[in-house]
Amino acid sequence: MEGMKRYNGKAIYKGIAIGTIKLMEKSKNDTSLRKIEDAEAEIARYNEARDEAVRQLQDIYKKAVEEVGAEAAAIFDMQSMLIGDDDFTDSVYSTIRDNMANAEYAVHESGETISKIFSQMEDEYMRARSADIKDIADRIVTILCSNGSGKESAGAGGKSILCADDLTPAETVALDKSAVLAFVTKYGSSQSHTAILARTMNIPALAGIAVDAEWNGKLAVVDGFAGELIIEPDAETLAEKEKLMKASLEKLAILQQLKGKESVTRDGRKINVYANIGSVADADAAIDNDAEGIGLFRSEFLYLGRHTYPTEEEQFVAYKNVARKMKGKKVIIRTLDIGADKQADYFNLEKEDNPAMGFRAIRICLDRPDLFRTQLRAIYRASAFGTIAIMYPMIISVDEVRRIKKISADVCYSLNKENIPYGNVEQGIMIETPAAVMMSEELAQEVDFFSIGTNDLTQYTLAIDRQNAKLEPFYDAHHPAVLREIEMTVKNGHKHGCWVGICGELGGDIELTEKFVEMGVDELSVSPSRILAIRDKIRSI
Ligand code: PEP
Ligand code: MG
């Protein structure tokens, strides 16, 4: 019994995982000056860490080529070459020798100095390298501090249970997802992006557990059914949880038989069951689970975890790859929904008191039309390679939609002039603000489809911040106000020939599937792991 400890949290995604704990380090690297005895030995230590950093960057480069194409991936290749920069190396060596300083200090100081020099250069390209130098220095320092892996390799050498205080959307982009068995976080709620990621990856997740550094490397069980974390389980507990894990895997295996079958009710009504994805790689999970299309591609993830805006070409490659993978099935790309919890420094967004109700999503795109046009051009160009639709987030008025349509018409006009082909692209909007619900009759006359974003719609309707775990006791996912809004939206959409789907997390809630079908919902877009369970439910109605 000794050693075993149980912690209760909130289950944010079901399932059982058994494995070792890996704490996610938030770069708390110590770069303070320490005197060393042997400068040449310290330089050798630095050289070893530098070589490891090059290896890591080359691995990331290979992965990124597959996910976002060679052009976007080039940044990692460039960083691996930049590590050998003579000025940087000379600076590290001389800082170590002149001050008899530790390598962590020398790398950090050199990174600061050289990146400052780059930031003051005339040439825009060279200025942009300033952030790369900082990245490289951080990576080498992390390797020096841990004598091992960088932050991408959660669970290096095998899969592990990732524990963190919080996991921002930008951090999830950098994560090696193939090495994660489960998530355990202190913050986060069932609507947070960690929860959405867990659902996409089909791995258990718990929130509300204060993570202890002592757990690192220990054997643990995450029970996403009971909402508990068990550190160093005894043999009896382990056997019991293994049995549960086997049973849940068997259930999943039964659902596999529904692959290739249609999502139709017993009386023959077809509901489109689509997948929500956040990256090109997620499209594989959608295909594995036999998605009938992509109902929500959260394109903002292409903008996170980097230092500059993705170019038109980079975005084009990403959208084209998803369209190709889906082989003609519909792919709905949501335009940039940055802001609120999804932050990227280079947008230079001012700090806001109320970011969820602030400068985000379509508001940024309408305020910075060049940014918007670049994305629209990439989407339209990709539409020549499959069936692509566009949807716009956070709409509150008819006027906004008209302004958007004018910009997209301009984009088509210039593509025509340049003889660049594009397909027949449906345009729709997300219904995720109470204002959009109230205006749905008028909005339906402007667009081809509606997709109801219940995550934000619930937060704005109930005035409950979706990130705030403290509010869970007040949160009712099935609140009649939200259900009535969905019903009203479907009715108004259909009145004017719009098809209506749900792409918020509620769309994957099996307890509501029958209700949604009764309301006349045409499409449910859910995490890939939910597709077969939803199909199973639809076929029973
Ligand atoms: C929503 O708000 O329901 C939605 C699907 O968008 P996101 O979760 O990305 O805000
Ligand atoms: Mg939303």
Side-chain angles (χ1 to χ4, degrees):
M1 267 306 278
E2 206 184 299
M4 180 165 96
K5 286 211 174 88
R6 290 174 186 267
Y7 300 86
N8 288 313
K10 179 163 175 56
I12 57 177
Y13 193 58
K14 295 188 170 77
I16 308 265
I18 300 172
T20 48
I21 299 256
K22 163 102 186 166
L23 291 191
M24 169 136 158
E25 307 272 348
K26 302 254 182 194
S27 56
K28 273 184 265 152
N29 293 328
D30 181 6
T31 55
S32 55
L33 174 62
R34 265 186 302 109
K35 290 284 174 190
I36 46 115
E37 309 258 297
D38 182 348
E40 295 319 303
E42 199 63 10
I43 285 178
R45 220 182 124 232
Y46 163 74
N47 288 342
E48 230 175 81
R50 179 199 56 198
D51 295 347
E52 169 59 20
V54 171
R55 271 193 295 277
Q56 285 182 7
L57 283 164
Q58 284 168 351
D59 283 351
I60 298 171
Y61 170 70
K62 278 188 220 138
K63 241 177 70 187
V65 168
E66 277 175 30
E67 287 206 9
V68 291
E71 196 182 330
I75 184 166
F76 300 113
D77 195 32
M78 182 272 297
Q79 282 195 357
S80 76
M81 287 188 282
L82 205 55
I83 286 186
D85 178 75
D86 285 345
D87 290 339
F88 185 70
T89 309
D90 288 350
S91 169
V92 174
Y93 286 4
S94 59
T95 310
I96 292 176
R97 287 190 182 120
D98 298 351
N99 305 291
M100 292 307 278
N102 52 320
E104 291 85 345
Y105 171 82
V107 172
H108 178 70
E109 287 298 301
S110 304
E112 292 293 307
T113 313
I114 309 278
S115 76
K116 198 162 170 204
I117 297 172
F118 273 93
S119 72
Q120 288 161 351
M121 288 184 180
E122 286 274 307
D123 184 86
E124 193 188 336
Y125 177 83
M126 297 310 278
R127 271 206 309 277
R129 300 290 70 79
S130 164
D132 291 310
I133 291 281
K134 274 200 176 165
D135 256 12
I136 289 168
D138 277 353
R139 180 175 297 279
I140 299 174
V141 167
T142 304
I143 294 167
L144 284 165
C145 287
S146 65
N147 253 340
S149 53
K151 64 179 174 183
E152 284 82 5
S153 48
K159 291 189 168 208
S160 45
I161 297 166
L162 190 66
C163 291
D165 274 352
D166 192 13
L167 207 55
T168 67
E171 283 163 345
T172 67
V173 171
L175 201 65
D176 177 1
K177 298 177 189 67
S178 63
V180 185
L181 280 175
F183 292 115
V184 176
T185 55
K186 182 171 175 189
Y187 304 106
S189 66
S190 50
Q191 306 300 302
S192 67
H193 284 277
T194 309
I196 292 171
L197 183 64
R199 252 169 245 141
T200 304
M201 294 166 64
N202 200 16
I203 58 174
L206 304 177
I209 293 186
V211 173
D212 184 338
E214 293 278 300
W215 300 343
N216 210 10
K218 290 191 174 163
L219 180 69
V221 176
V222 174
D223 183 341
F225 297 104
E228 73 176 349
L229 170 73
I230 304 166
I231 306 284
E232 297 192 315
D234 58 25
E236 196 187 329
T237 311
L238 202 57
E240 177 204 327
K241 297 293 180 186
E242 273 168 353
K243 217 164 118 193
L244 269 176
M245 183 159 80
K246 209 165 142 233
S248 103
L249 291 176
E250 275 165 9
K251 254 195 200 156
L252 280 179
I254 293 172
L255 284 178
Q256 301 303 305
Q257 294 165 3
L258 288 173
K259 285 186 183 171
K261 301 236 163 94
E262 274 203 301
S263 305
V264 279
T265 60
R266 289 216 203 145
D267 58 358
R269 227 186 103 210
K270 168 93 183 82
I271 311 291
N272 290 321
V273 183
Y274 289 174
N276 293 347
I277 62 168
S279 69
V280 180
D282 286 350
D284 295 330
I287 293 163
D288 280 351
N289 288 285
D290 200 26
E292 295 156 35
I294 302 293
L296 166 65
F297 180 1
R298 290 183 162 95
S299 70
E300 59 276 8
F301 280 87
L302 297 179
Y303 292 69
L304 298 178
R306 45 185 297 149
H307 302 299
T308 50
Y309 295 104
T311 62
E312 177 184 322
E313 199 58 30
E314 287 172 33
Q315 294 189 61
F316 164 65
V317 172
Y319 305 144
K320 182 179 77 174
N321 284 346
V322 175
R324 281 217 168 122
K325 281 182 189 219
M326 294 309 293
K327 299 196 169 95
K329 290 179 177 168
K330 192 177 286 185
V331 175
I332 304 176
I333 299 171
R334 172 176 73 188
T335 59
L336 183 62
D337 185 9
I338 210 99
D341 61 322
K342 294 176 214 147
Q343 291 287 342
D345 290 347
Y346 59 88
F347 274 77
N348 293 319
L349 299 176
E350 275 171 34
K351 211 163 164 32
E352 296 174 304
D353 285 343
N354 236 328
M357 293 204 263
F359 189 53
R360 59 174 288 201
I362 201 69
R363 299 168 184 178
I364 297 179
C365 290
L366 287 172
D367 186 64
R368 303 180 185 182
D370 286 346
L371 179 75
F372 194 30
R373 256 184 229 116
T374 302
Q375 181 172 35
L376 290 175
R377 271 182 69 93
I379 298 176
Y380 273 103
R381 283 175 57 202
S383 71
F385 299 85
T387 308
I388 284 188
I390 309 182
M391 102 178 146
Y392 305 102
M394 287 295 291
I395 296 296
I396 57 169
S397 73
V398 170
D399 176 59
E400 275 170 348
V401 176
R402 293 199 176 134
R403 284 167 65 199
I404 292 166
K405 279 166 58 184
K406 164 122 193 16
I407 296 173
S408 73
D410 284 348
V411 165
C412 292
Y413 178 77
S414 53
L415 290 174
N416 287 338
K417 255 180 49 186
E418 295 165 54
N419 272 328
I420 296 176
Y422 57 90
N424 188 11
V425 177
E426 272 189 310
Q427 293 195 79
I429 55 172
M430 291 197 62
I431 301 288
E432 54 182 342
T433 62
V437 175
M438 298 312 289
M439 299 305 295
S440 50
E441 171 139 27
E442 287 80 358
L443 288 166
Q445 296 168 53
E446 300 288 334
V447 294
D448 301 311
F449 67 93
F450 285 161
S451 188
I452 305 173
T454 51
N455 308 337
D456 279 314
L457 185 58
T458 307
Q459 105 164 321
Y460 297 129
T461 302
L462 305 185
I464 285 186
D465 177 355
R466 65 192 266 196
Q467 302 294 337
N468 190 341
K470 245 205 188 125
L471 299 176
E472 294 272 350
F474 300 94
Y475 177 80
D476 172 9
H478 297 187
H479 197 293
V482 177
L483 298 180
R484 267 187 219 174
E485 284 176 319
I486 295 173
E487 191 166 24
M488 179 173 170
T489 303
V490 176
K491 229 192 260 108
N492 285 335
H494 285 174
K495 223 192 262 180
H496 296 281
C498 267
W499 63 262
V500 183
I502 299 177
C503 64
E505 293 302 293
L506 216 53
D509 185 336
I510 255 163
E511 286 174 38
L512 292 173
T513 312
E514 187 156 4
K515 217 179 198 72
F516 292 149
V517 171
E518 275 168 18
M519 286 179 187
V521 167
D522 304 289
E523 173 241 28
L524 293 169
S525 190
V526 301
S527 293
S529 65
R530 304 292 304 147
I531 289 172
L532 295 174
I534 293 287
R535 178 173 299 164
D536 188 38
K537 181 73 200 178
I538 291 171
R539 290 170 66 88
S540 76
I541 295 171

